[in-house]
Amino acid sequence: MQPLISAMYKVRQAFIAAIVRSLLRTKSVLQTILNIWISPTILKGEHVDRNGGQREGKMYSEFLREVEREFKSSRETSSLVALSDGLRLQFGESLLDNPMNMLPSYNHQLPTGDERGTFLALDVGGSTFRISLIELSGQKREGFETSILKLDSYKITQDVKKLKGVLFFDWMAERMGETLAGQNEGHDMSKPPLSMGMSWSFPIEQTSLRSGLLLGMGKGFLAAHGLIGQDLGDIIQESCSRKGLNVRLNAIVNDSSATLLSKAYLDQTTRFALILGTGVNAAVHLPVHIFSSPKFGERPASWHEEAKHVIVNTELSMFGGGILPYTRWDRELLSVHPRPEFQPLEHFVSGGYLGEIVRLVLIEGIQTAGLLGGVIPPGLEKEYSLETETLSLMECDPSPTLTKALEVFLSRHPTTHTPSHADLQAIRLIASQVAYRASGVLAAGTHGLWQLRNEAEGISPSDSSHTLVAYNGSVLENYPNFRSSCQRQLDSLVEASGGERGSVELVYAEESSLLGAAVAVACVGG
Ligand code: BGC
């Protein structure tokens, strides 16, 4: 072997041995990279000037340290406590006069668990429209309380998102026509209409159980265009009539409230729900006395006589402006966002944004510190081109070789420069920093709401009973370690405020949007 090749061979051997040793010692990912960092070009067997390689390596490791530093402050319990307190104050202010969030629904009673019947449930999410026939059999049929008899899922493509005004609702009615095709129910006008409930993953100002005024929509939807302030129930009912559907929309609920209802159907102690997928939100069952009266709009006196508590769509996504732990990459994201002030907390935590924050960090790393050999994979310079799902899959790979992570990255971002092992580690490190911060911010939001409810009910944290927080959504369900990190940080926050560790528990609510929509209709007597 020539001396240079032999030296390179030794370097590579030493590198692999170092990885194995380092992994065995289960050091932090960053430490692993820093301790064994070696220029990606050396890994590929290319000749690099020794000093140049070292300089490049230093820049690379410095950059990763810098990333860790930027995200570090949000990891400390004291920062999370401060964030939770700040959010708690903002929630309190909104209970008095904010028309955009802390929106009381009409649901003042939680389900009893005895509701029964077959209902059509609609779930309008951030990227899919799902239509399902659901049978509720009541709690006495343990294990068979709910059955999904039929389920169709329609992708909401970018083109559909861009449909303005009634065009979007006509598209929905057409899809419902497809699902109900071949079934007498829903078409035969001589029969009573099929009773329907809808879970709506956007803000809405409820005006009854079956109606609500359309408010501004996030997630890139243009459906509210020209319709803001109009009755969502009527708009949908009219689109269905135009398509000859014999259906009646009897309940509309936000997806966070649907999640709460679906879990409360099975466990009546549920008072909280969290959604974290493309968007983020929370619903809470709160006493009515903490709201200012204008927040209820015009409601019949009978509603006020009966309602002691109400399910509140908090629109958690809209809080946190000015108090969230912004980094330069968050500010960069906001600088080109069409509505930077609309949903500050969503920008930190939701699946719609995690990928974009990581992409911005990565691009800076590529351009300034030689990540990915200094080559931006074609297309990755485009906003929102790095999906949160890609990172979730890359972080899932448990193998020391990261073969799966490499496969996932290349299948979505083919590039001439094959990412080295260190590159993959770096991407995973950045993603884990961004995701961990998100889980902490979500924990702080949940804790702030828990504190708000304790205060409203006059309960001290130490006396608060075991609290279930029903959760759903792709990030909480699928992003590796997200739920457990969120739970751990929530435990620390509960403990810091005098409560018992573990007393606020995140519990999975399966198919909560659809089931909650069905429960909502059943609660109004179908
Ligand atoms: C919407 C909420 C919704 C949440 C989760 C947010 O962007 O504003 O209404 O509940 O996403 O889907």
Side-chain angles (χ1 to χ4, degrees):
M1 239 185 249
Q2 287 171 14
L4 177 61
I5 298 178
S6 151
M8 278 166 39
Y9 179 75
K10 280 187 191 143
V11 166
R12 195 179 308 155
Q13 293 285 80
F15 173 68
I16 291 165
I19 290 181
V20 174
R21 269 201 313 277
S22 204
L23 285 171
L24 287 177
R25 269 186 254 122
T26 60
K27 287 195 168 175
S28 85
V29 181
L30 179 61
Q31 274 300 306
T32 306
I33 294 171
L34 296 181
N35 290 351
I36 61 177
W37 193 90
I38 192 160
S39 163
T41 26
I42 289 181
L43 271 179
K44 283 177 67 209
E46 288 164 14
H47 173 72
V48 187
D49 159 282
R50 198 144 46 99
N51 293 331
Q54 274 173 1
R55 229 188 359 259
E56 210 179 312
K58 194 153 164 264
M59 273 156 56
Y60 195 110
S61 57
E62 261 169 18
F63 179 72
L64 292 177
R65 269 193 213 283
E66 161 88 3
V67 172
E68 218 180 29
R69 241 190 333 267
E70 279 276 327
F71 286 93
K72 185 164 170 264
S73 70
S74 52
R75 300 180 89 106
E76 286 149 13
T77 305
S78 56
S79 309
L80 290 180
V81 169
L83 179 58
S84 163
D85 288 346
L87 289 168
R88 152 78 196 80
L89 280 179
Q90 294 186 349
F91 299 146
E93 283 160 15
S94 282
L95 288 171
L96 303 180
D97 63 3
N98 195 326
M100 303 286 286
N101 46 49
M102 292 312 239
L103 305 168
S105 68
Y106 260 67
N107 303 77
H108 60 80
Q109 272 168 338
L110 291 169
T112 61
D114 288 332
E115 294 78 5
R116 289 187 181 81
T118 303
F119 308 98
L120 193 66
L122 311 180
D123 169 22
V124 187
S127 50
T128 45
F129 173 38
R130 300 189 311 150
I131 307 171
S132 177
L133 209 54
I134 290 189
E135 186 180 336
L136 301 178
S137 308
Q139 254 181 0
K140 293 209 178 79
R141 300 213 47 216
E142 215 187 314
F144 300 93
E145 298 93 338
T146 58
S147 332
I148 296 185
L149 307 178
K150 182 176 172 69
L151 172 60
D152 280 338
S153 196
Y154 299 97
K155 192 155 176 51
I156 304 182
T157 59
Q158 287 306 324
D159 288 344
V160 175
K161 284 190 182 189
K162 287 194 193 114
L163 292 175
K164 287 188 181 163
V166 286
L167 291 179
F168 176 76
F169 298 97
D170 286 350
W171 175 85
M172 278 176 60
E174 262 168 47
R175 304 292 77 75
M176 288 159 67
E178 283 171 26
T179 291
L180 295 173
Q183 280 188 299
N184 252 348
E185 278 176 307
H187 284 291
D188 186 345
M189 296 296 178
S190 64
K191 296 235 171 93
L194 194 56
S195 182
M196 228 165 45
M198 179 173 78
S199 163
W200 180 248
S201 57
F202 305 93
I204 177 175
E205 183 187 334
Q206 301 263 186
T207 48
S208 77
L209 283 166
R210 68 165 297 273
S211 59
L213 307 182
L214 197 56
L215 300 175
M217 293 166 78
K219 303 175 185 168
F221 280 67
L222 299 187
H225 191 88
L227 296 179
I228 293 207
Q230 293 196 30
D231 192 301
L232 178 61
D234 289 348
I235 298 170
I236 292 178
Q237 199 65 59
E238 279 158 24
S239 288
C240 289
S241 303
R242 275 198 292 279
K243 303 287 168 198
L245 300 176
N246 187 27
V247 291
R248 183 172 159 77
L249 185 58
N250 281 321
I252 301 180
V253 278
N254 177 262
D255 56 348
S256 61
S257 309
T259 300
L260 205 166
L261 286 171
S262 76
K263 199 64 179 178
Y265 180 66
L266 303 171
D267 183 333
Q268 279 75 49
T269 64
T270 316
R271 295 288 181 274
F272 287 82
L274 267 188
I275 292 266
L276 182 61
T278 318
V280 63
N281 203 357
V284 193
H285 192 242
L286 287 174
V288 289
H289 71 79
I290 60 169
F291 290 85
S292 70
S293 54
K295 287 284 294 192
F296 291 104
E298 302 264 315
R299 296 190 183 204
S302 57
W303 190 89
H304 288 288
E305 275 152 30
E306 285 170 27
K308 299 285 167 276
H309 286 80
V310 65
I311 296 183
V312 182
N313 165 14
T314 64
E315 287 297 337
L316 180 62
S317 64
M318 296 183 192
F319 291 91
I323 57 171
L324 285 159
Y326 296 92
T327 62
R328 60 173 178 274
W329 300 291
D330 300 299
R331 284 188 279 271
E332 200 179 333
L333 185 148
L334 294 182
S335 68
V336 289
H337 194 285
R339 299 177 78 188
E341 322 253 288
F342 183 47
Q343 296 179 302
L345 196 133
E346 188 147 305
H347 302 150
F348 274 72
V349 303
S350 88
Y353 293 99
L354 297 180
E356 180 60 1
I357 304 171
V358 172
R359 189 189 70 87
L360 291 169
V361 180
L362 194 58
I363 295 285
E364 188 184 314
I366 295 172
Q367 288 176 332
T368 64
L371 262 70
L372 290 171
V375 181
I376 300 179
L380 201 69
E381 71 285 351
K382 250 184 77 196
E383 286 166 22
Y384 297 92
S385 53
L386 181 57
E387 291 185 0
T388 303
E389 194 201 22
T390 307
L391 302 170
S392 168
L393 294 171
M394 288 181 74
E395 279 215 59
C396 267
D397 184 353
S399 71
T401 51
L402 298 182
T403 323
K404 181 96 191 45
L406 179 64
E407 226 175 85
V408 169
F409 187 80
L410 284 180
S411 67
R412 291 157 185 234
H413 302 284
T415 167
T416 49
H417 174 88
T418 303
S420 65
H421 190 272
D423 286 330
L424 294 171
Q425 293 268 46
I427 298 174
R428 280 164 42 117
L429 171 85
I430 298 167
S432 69
Q433 295 286 324
V434 174
Y436 190 84
R437 179 185 68 165
S439 67
V441 169
L442 188 67
T446 311
H447 178 259
L449 288 170
W450 180 71
Q451 291 277 67
L452 177 78
R453 182 169 178 275
N454 283 340
E455 279 166 34
E457 299 283 12
I459 308 171
S460 78
S462 56
D463 291 338
S464 177
S465 54
H466 189 77
T467 306
L468 296 186
V469 181
Y471 77 84
N472 190 282
S474 55
V475 175
L476 268 166
E477 285 172 45
N478 304 325
Y479 201 101
N481 303 323
F482 198 100
R483 189 206 52 81
S484 53
S485 308
C486 183
Q487 179 69 64
R488 257 199 322 278
Q489 294 174 91
L490 190 52
D491 288 346
S492 304
L493 282 163
V494 168
E495 201 172 41
S497 52
E500 202 180 311
R501 229 182 149 73
S503 64
V504 183
E505 191 189 356
L506 301 174
V507 282
Y508 180 45
E510 198 178 353
E511 281 301 0
S512 62
S513 296
L514 288 171
L515 294 177
V519 171
V521 200
C523 285
V524 293

